[in-house]
Amino acid sequence: MSLGAFLMETGHHIAAWRHPDTHAAGGLDFTHYAQLARIAERAKFDAIFFADSVSVRDTHLPSLSRTARADHFEPLTLLSALSVVTDRIGLIATVSTSFNEPYNVARKFASLDHLSGGRSGWNLVTSSTETEAHNFSLDRHLDHAVRYERAKEFYDVVAGLWDSWEDDAFVRDKASGIYFDADKLHVLGHRGKHFSVRGPLNVARSPQGWPVVVQAGASEAGRELAAQTAEVIFVAHQTLDEAQQFYRDVKGRLARYGRAPEHLKIMPGIFPVIGKTQQEAHDKFDALQELIDPAVGLALLSKMSGGIDLSQYPVDGPVPELPETNGGKSRQRLLLDLARRDNLTIRDLYLRIAGARGHQQVIGTPQSIADQLQQWFEEEGADGFNIMSPWLPGGLSEFVDTVVPELQRRGLFRTEYAGRTLREHLGLPRPVNRHAQKAPERGELAAAAS
Amino acid sequence: MSLGAFLMETGHHIAAWRHPDTHAAGGLDFTHYAQLARIAERAKFDAIFFADSVSVRDTHLPSLSRTARADHFEPLTLLSALSVVTDRIGLIATVSTSFNEPYNVARKFASLDHLSGGRSGWNLVTSSTETEAHNFSLDRHLDHAVRYERAKEFYDVVAGLWDSWEDDAFVRDKASGIYFDADKLHVLGHRGKHFSVRGPLNVARSPQGWPVVVQAGASEAGRELAAQTAEVIFVAHQTLDEAQQFYRDVKGRLARYGRAPEHLKIMPGIFPVIGKTQQEAHDKFDALQELIDPAVGLALLSKMSGGIDLSQYPVDGPVPELPETNGGKSRQRLLLDLARRDNLTIRDLYLRIAGARGHQQVIGTPQSIADQLQQWFEEEGADGFNIMSPWLPGGLSEFVDTVVPELQRRGLFRTEYAGRTLREHLGLPRPVNRHAQKAPERGELAAAAS
C-alpha cells in the first residue's frame, strides 16, 4: 500500500487555521513544512504532495478573508527547500500545463530530481478557474477539451526533453577533455499544434529517468490522459463502489496504450479524524466543524461546484440542479450525486465537503480506519491513499502514530524504505531512454564511419 | 563595498572542469553548491549569484562537448535548496522576461524571499540567443527593442504584484475568524501591450517588500531600464576609465526617475587569480589556459560576439569587423574595443575572454588585487564587485582566505553581517507599499461608510 501526505497550510479542513493546536501563519513558515515533511518521512510515507492554484480567488472577500487559502508558498521552491531536510520521501508538486512553458517545467522537475537524489514528482493539472486565466493574459479560460489537448502535447514535450540525454552521456573525462559524448545528446525538434520546442534540455537525465507523473482529473478526458501518461492518480471517492468502478475503468484503459495495470497507482484522498473511541473522533470533528463561518461554507460549496453561486438559495433547502459549466466537470457530478444520495440541504452539503472537500471522511478509531483502508486496498478500490489531515501537524502526527503502526502490524505498509527514489517506493519502473534503445544502430554507424 | 559570488558549475574559466582540484560533476551536485554558498557566507559576502540560459547551445558540438556548460541546475530550485543551508547571505537568480509569465516570476521570488527570511534577488534578463527562443515556440528571438519594452512592462507587473498585500494585511485572528484584512488586499488590474494580469498575488508581501532587482544589460536600452528599475547592476569592464564612464552615466540617469544615486549599486565582474607572488598567480593562470581546447576557445569567442562564426578567419590574424546582430549589442562593442586597444589576434582574443569572458582579469597577490578593488571603489568605478572565481571551490576559497581579510584590514569590507536581509547587506531601502501610503484615505472612507 502506498501513502502520500497531502500538505495544505494548516490542514485540509477549511477552518483548520482556527484550531487551537495549529500555527495560523504556518502557510508561509518553512519550519512548519519541514516539521510536516519529517513526520511523514518518519512514518515511511511514499511522498508528500502539494496542490496548487495560480490565483487568489477573491470573488467573495467576506469568505476568503476568513480562510487561510490566500497566501502560501509556490510548491516547487518549497519542495526544493524541503529536499534538503529530508532524505528518502518523494516530493510531488502541482504545476499547470495551461500557464507554463514545457521547457521550464521539464527543467524544474529534472533539477529537483537531481537535487533530491531521485525523489521528484509532477502533478500535471490543466487548471480550471477563470481567476487563474486572468493572471495570464487570458480573458477566459481555455475550453475543457482544448486544455486536455494542450496538456497531452505539453506532456509529450516534457517527456521528450527528459530523454534529451542518455543516462551515460556525461563522461567528464579531464584527461581527454571530453565532457559529454555528443552521440548521446538528442534534439527533440517538436513542432505541434500548441508548442514548438527544439531542445535539448539543459539538465542531464535525472536519477529517476523521468520524474514520476501524477494526475488528478477524473472526467472522461482526464481518465484518458491518465491512462496514456499518469503513473499515479489522486482521486476523490465517497464510496467503495465508486472507487472500484473508477479503478476498473482506468486500469482497463491501460492495455490500449501498451501499459501494465501495476504501472499506474490509484490513490484516493482520505480525510481521517482519529479518536481512541468512535465518540472521541466524532467530537474532534464536530469541534472543527463549529469553527466554520457560514460565509466560508457557502463560498466553498460554490467554488467546489464549478463557480455557481448558491447564496441565492435557502441554505436549509435542497441543493438545486447545477447546470454544467466550463469548470471541473467531474467535481460537479460528484457533488450532485452526494447530495441526492444522502438527501442533503445546502448547509448539510457545505458542512460535508468543508472537511474533506469531496474526498472521503473517515472518522473513527485507528483500527476502524485501518479496516477501511485495508478493505479498499484488498478489494481493488485503491493502490494506496493520499492522507488529507484535517489539521496540521497534529492530525498527521496522530495518523502516523496510531494508524500507520496498525497498517504495519497487518503487513499492509512498509516499516522501512527499501529504495531511495520515489519510483522505487511506488514500485514503478524507471523509463528506458527512447534513444538508448537505438544504441546498436549507432554502434554500426560509428563502425561504418571509421 | 559589496561582494557577490558568481557561482558557475566548476568555475568561471571555460576549462575549469579539467582543473585537477575541481569536481567535474559539480554542476549537478547539490553538496558542491552547498559548500560554495557556505564559503561565501563565511566571508560575509552580500550574495551568491547564478546566471542562466534556457537552452543548450548545441550549434557546435565539437566545442560544446568539451565544456561543462550543457547541464546545470535550474537556478531557482537550486537557490531554494541553498536557502536551507545558509542563514544570512543573499540569493540571486537569473530569470528571463522573454520566456516566462510575470505572475509566476513574482510568485517564485516572493516565495523564495519568505523561505529565506528576506534574502532573494531577481536578476532580470531579456535573453539574447536564438537557441533559447527555439525552446519556447518562437522561430526567432524578439527584436532587441521589443525585448526591452516587454521587460519593462514585465517588471511593472511583477512589482505591482509584490504590492498586492499590505505588510500588515494578514492578522490571522483565531478568535474572530478574520484571517486577513480585506481592505489591505489590492487588485492590480494590469492591461498592457504585452500582458494582462489581474492579480492579486497569492503570496503575502515578503520580508524585503520586494526582492532585490538586479540587471546586467549595458546597452542604451539596458542602461535606461536599469536606471528605472534596477537596484544592482552586474557589468563587465576592462578598465577603470570604462567603469567610471559607465558609473557616471547610469548614476546620472537616476534623478530623472526620482531615485538617489546610492539606491543603485554597480558591481563589475572580477576574475581573480591569486598567488603569493605575481609570478605564482601568472603560473596558475597559464596552467588553466593550457587546458583550453582550441575548438572551445573559437566557439566561445563566436558566442561572445553575438553569434558570428569566426572559424572562417585565420586564428592568428586580426579580429575582423563584426556586423551588428540581434544578439547582445553591448558585448559586441566591448569585444571589438578590447581587440583594437590591445591589437589582439583571434587566438589572443579567445584566450583573453576564455577566462573572464569580458570581465576584468585581475592576476596578482592579495595586496595587489585589494589595491585595484580599492581604487575602483574609491574612484567611483564600482560600489562593489561580483567575484567570478576561475575554478571552484579552490578559487573562491583563496579569495575568501586572502583578499577578503586584506579588504577588511583596510576597512573596506564588513567583518560581520549587520542585517538579516539582502537589502540590508546592500544598504538598499525597503520599498514602501504603494497602497499603504493611501491608508488615511481608507480610514476616512471607512468612517464615512459607518
Side-chain angles (χ1 to χ4, degrees):
Chain A
M1 183 189 293
S2 295
L3 290 177
F6 181 102
L7 302 181
M8 192 176 211
E9 293 102 41
T10 50
H12 199 68
H13 192 281
I14 193 76
W17 73 273
R18 299 183 67 189
H19 188 285
D21 294 344
T22 58
H23 171 37
L28 280 172
D29 183 342
F30 177 67
T31 61
H32 170 68
Y33 286 105
Q35 181 186 11
L36 298 175
R38 288 185 181 119
I39 292 170
E41 187 168 70
R42 173 161 61 79
K44 321 299 176 194
F45 272 49
D46 295 74
I48 55 175
F49 168 74
F50 290 97
D52 194 38
S53 72
V54 280
S55 71
V56 174
R57 291 173 189 165
D58 63 338
T59 43
H60 193 245
L61 282 175
S63 61
L64 183 75
S65 64
R66 289 169 168 83
T67 72
R69 298 290 185 255
D71 66 321
H72 43 85
F73 284 115
E74 187 278 326
L76 267 169
T77 42
L78 176 57
L79 276 181
S80 299
L82 289 174
S83 76
V84 178
V85 298
T86 54
D87 190 36
R88 294 290 192 99
I89 198 164
L91 308 166
I92 303 174
T94 300
V95 173
S96 170
T97 56
S98 294
F99 309 123
N100 285 282
E101 290 282 342
Y103 196 90
N104 290 337
V105 171
R107 190 177 177 218
K108 280 169 197 289
F109 281 99
S111 189
L112 179 59
D113 210 46
H114 281 283
L115 276 173
S116 62
R119 297 188 282 136
S120 80
W122 170 31
N123 181 34
L124 181 167
V125 301
T126 65
S127 304
S128 60
T129 72
E130 300 285 319
T131 56
E132 291 173 290
H134 295 162
N135 290 330
F136 292 87
S137 301
L138 296 171
D139 284 332
R140 57 185 299 279
H141 207 340
L142 302 172
D143 283 338
H144 192 266
V146 176
R147 287 207 303 274
Y148 274 89
E149 180 188 84
R150 179 183 158 105
K152 174 62 169 62
E153 189 181 333
F154 195 110
Y155 167 87
D156 288 341
V157 173
V158 168
L161 289 170
W162 284 337
D163 278 350
S164 294
W165 302 89
E166 294 181 40
D167 288 309
D168 56 352
F170 289 89
V171 295
R172 303 185 181 102
D173 179 27
K174 289 188 179 191
S176 68
I178 300 296
Y179 189 79
F180 66 80
D181 178 350
D183 286 340
K184 296 186 176 179
L185 162 64
H186 302 281
V187 172
L188 179 63
H190 174 88
R191 295 194 84 89
K193 182 169 169 189
H194 298 278
F195 305 104
S196 294
V197 180
R198 184 176 179 277
L201 196 65
N202 55 359
V203 183
R205 200 160 193 263
S206 75
Q208 295 189 103
W210 300 358
V212 173
V213 174
V214 181
Q215 281 168 47
S219 67
E220 174 58 30
R223 291 177 192 209
E224 201 55 25
L225 181 65
Q228 292 174 71
T229 64
E231 301 178 284
V232 176
I233 300 184
F234 289 148
V235 66
H237 296 308
Q238 286 295 325
T239 66
L240 175 56
D241 188 54
E242 268 177 42
Q244 288 168 328
Q245 280 180 32
F246 181 86
Y247 192 98
R248 272 194 303 274
D249 176 72
V250 173
K251 297 257 181 179
R253 294 172 192 239
L254 294 173
R256 208 181 309 162
Y257 302 105
R259 302 182 64 200
E262 64 271 24
H263 293 166
L264 171 58
K265 306 296 178 186
I266 296 179
M267 297 175 67
I270 290 288
F271 175 91
V273 188
I274 309 160
K276 288 195 194 66
T277 63
Q278 199 71 25
Q279 186 59 47
E280 188 188 87
H282 278 284
D283 291 346
K284 279 187 186 174
F285 183 62
D286 290 345
L288 270 170
Q289 295 286 83
E290 278 167 22
L291 296 172
I292 302 174
D293 189 301
V296 172
L298 269 176
L300 182 67
L301 186 53
S302 165
K303 194 180 84 179
M304 293 292 289
S305 59
I308 298 161
D309 180 12
L310 290 175
S311 62
Q312 60 187 303
Y313 302 97
V315 71
D316 290 313
V319 176
E321 280 301 321
L322 303 174
E324 203 167 68
T325 73
N326 191 29
K329 292 183 187 186
S330 54
R331 286 186 303 178
Q332 286 171 29
R333 200 172 47 239
L334 189 88
L335 284 171
L336 264 186
D337 291 352
L338 172 65
R340 297 284 165 274
R341 198 191 69 203
D342 292 358
N343 197 27
L344 303 179
T345 65
I346 290 177
R347 187 193 303 272
D348 291 338
L349 186 59
Y350 88 57
L351 279 175
R352 186 75 70 93
I353 64 161
R357 297 197 286 149
H359 293 266
Q360 212 207 8
Q361 294 175 182
V362 194
I363 303 176
T365 64
Q367 291 70 33
S368 73
I369 293 173
D371 287 345
Q372 176 159 343
L373 301 189
Q374 180 167 8
Q375 186 189 17
W376 283 43
F377 179 66
E378 292 181 344
E379 296 181 11
E380 301 201 330
D383 297 312
F385 302 92
N386 202 17
I387 306 305
M388 311 175 109
S389 298
W391 77 100
L392 293 166
L396 182 61
S397 298
E398 286 182 6
F399 187 88
V400 159
D401 292 336
T402 64
V403 181
V404 169
E406 182 64 28
L407 294 170
Q408 290 170 330
R409 250 190 305 279
R410 299 181 190 191
L412 291 166
F413 191 63
R414 70 174 69 85
T415 54
E416 268 308 328
Y417 288 110
R420 293 211 75 88
T421 69
L422 176 56
R423 287 192 173 278
E424 287 167 344
H425 304 336
L426 292 166
L428 295 169
R430 187 177 188 278
V432 174
N433 188 308
R434 67 192 68 180
H435 306 292
Q437 294 165 321
K438 297 177 193 158
E441 286 173 39
R442 195 176 53 234
E444 286 158 27
L445 284 172
S450 68
Chain B
M1 182 188 294
S2 296
L3 291 177
F6 181 101
L7 303 181
M8 192 176 212
E9 294 103 41
T10 50
H12 200 69
H13 192 279
I14 193 75
W17 73 272
R18 299 182 68 187
H19 187 284
D21 294 342
T22 58
H23 171 38
L28 280 171
D29 183 342
F30 177 67
T31 60
H32 170 68
Y33 286 105
Q35 182 187 10
L36 298 175
R38 287 185 181 120
I39 292 170
E41 187 168 69
R42 172 161 61 79
K44 321 300 176 193
F45 271 50
D46 295 74
I48 55 175
F49 168 73
F50 291 97
D52 194 38
S53 71
V54 281
S55 71
V56 174
R57 292 175 188 164
D58 63 337
T59 43
H60 192 245
L61 283 175
S63 61
L64 183 75
S65 65
R66 288 169 169 81
T67 72
R69 297 290 185 256
D71 67 322
H72 44 85
F73 284 116
E74 186 279 325
L76 267 169
T77 43
L78 176 58
L79 275 181
S80 300
L82 289 173
S83 76
V84 179
V85 299
T86 54
D87 190 38
R88 294 291 191 99
I89 199 165
L91 309 165
I92 303 174
T94 300
V95 173
S96 169
T97 56
S98 294
F99 309 122
N100 285 282
E101 290 282 342
Y103 196 90
N104 290 336
V105 171
R107 192 177 175 217
K108 281 169 196 289
F109 281 98
S111 189
L112 178 60
D113 209 46
H114 281 284
L115 276 172
S116 63
R119 298 188 282 136
S120 80
W122 169 32
N123 181 33
L124 182 167
V125 301
T126 65
S127 305
S128 61
T129 72
E130 300 286 321
T131 56
E132 292 173 289
H134 295 163
N135 289 330
F136 292 87
S137 302
L138 295 171
D139 283 332
R140 58 186 298 278
H141 208 338
L142 301 173
D143 283 339
H144 193 266
V146 176
R147 287 207 304 273
Y148 274 88
E149 179 188 84
R150 180 183 156 107
K152 174 61 169 63
E153 189 182 334
F154 194 110
Y155 167 86
D156 289 339
V157 173
V158 167
L161 289 170
W162 284 336
D163 278 350
S164 294
W165 302 89
E166 294 181 40
D167 288 309
D168 56 352
F170 289 90
V171 294
R172 303 186 181 102
D173 179 26
K174 290 189 180 192
S176 68
I178 301 295
Y179 188 79
F180 66 80
D181 178 350
D183 286 340
K184 296 184 175 178
L185 162 64
H186 302 281
V187 172
L188 179 63
H190 174 88
R191 295 194 83 88
K193 183 169 170 189
H194 297 279
F195 305 104
S196 294
V197 180
R198 184 177 177 278
L201 196 65
N202 56 358
V203 183
R205 200 158 192 264
S206 75
Q208 294 189 103
W210 300 358
V212 174
V213 174
V214 180
Q215 281 168 48
S219 67
E220 174 59 31
R223 291 178 193 211
E224 201 55 24
L225 181 65
Q228 292 174 71
T229 65
E231 301 177 286
V232 176
I233 300 184
F234 290 148
V235 65
H237 296 307
Q238 286 294 326
T239 66
L240 175 58
D241 187 55
E242 268 177 44
Q244 288 169 328
Q245 280 181 33
F246 181 85
Y247 191 96
R248 271 194 302 274
D249 176 73
V250 172
K251 297 255 182 180
R253 294 172 192 238
L254 293 174
R256 207 180 310 160
Y257 302 105
R259 303 183 63 201
E262 64 271 26
H263 293 166
L264 171 58
K265 305 297 178 185
I266 297 179
M267 297 175 67
I270 290 289
F271 175 92
V273 187
I274 309 160
K276 286 195 197 65
T277 62
Q278 199 72 24
Q279 186 59 49
E280 187 187 86
H282 278 284
D283 290 346
K284 279 187 185 174
F285 183 62
D286 290 345
L288 268 170
Q289 294 286 81
E290 278 168 23
L291 296 173
I292 301 174
D293 190 300
V296 172
L298 268 177
L300 182 69
L301 186 53
S302 166
K303 194 180 84 178
M304 293 292 290
S305 59
I308 298 162
D309 180 12
L310 290 174
S311 62
Q312 60 187 302
Y313 301 97
V315 72
D316 289 313
V319 176
E321 280 302 321
L322 302 175
E324 202 168 72
T325 73
N326 191 28
K329 293 183 186 186
S330 55
R331 286 186 304 179
Q332 287 172 27
R333 199 172 48 239
L334 189 88
L335 285 171
L336 265 185
D337 290 351
L338 173 65
R340 297 286 164 273
R341 197 193 69 201
D342 292 358
N343 197 26
L344 303 178
T345 64
I346 290 177
R347 188 193 303 273
D348 291 336
L349 186 60
Y350 88 59
L351 279 175
R352 185 74 69 93
I353 64 161
R357 297 196 287 150
H359 294 265
Q360 211 207 11
Q361 293 175 181
V362 194
I363 303 176
T365 64
Q367 290 70 31
S368 74
I369 293 172
D371 287 346
Q372 176 158 345
L373 301 188
Q374 179 167 7
Q375 186 188 17
W376 283 44
F377 178 67
E378 293 180 344
E379 296 180 11
E380 301 201 329
D383 297 312
F385 302 92
N386 203 16
I387 306 305
M388 312 176 108
S389 298
W391 76 101
L392 294 166
L396 182 61
S397 298
E398 286 182 6
F399 187 88
V400 159
D401 292 336
T402 64
V403 182
V404 169
E406 182 63 28
L407 294 171
Q408 289 170 332
R409 248 190 307 277
R410 300 181 189 190
L412 292 166
F413 191 62
R414 71 174 70 84
T415 55
E416 268 309 328
Y417 288 110
R420 294 210 74 89
T421 69
L422 175 55
R423 285 190 176 280
E424 288 167 344
H425 303 337
L426 292 165
L428 295 169
R430 186 178 189 277
V432 174
N433 189 308
R434 65 192 71 179
H435 306 291
Q437 294 164 319
K438 298 176 193 158
E441 286 173 40
R442 197 177 49 234
E444 287 157 28
L445 284 172
S450 67

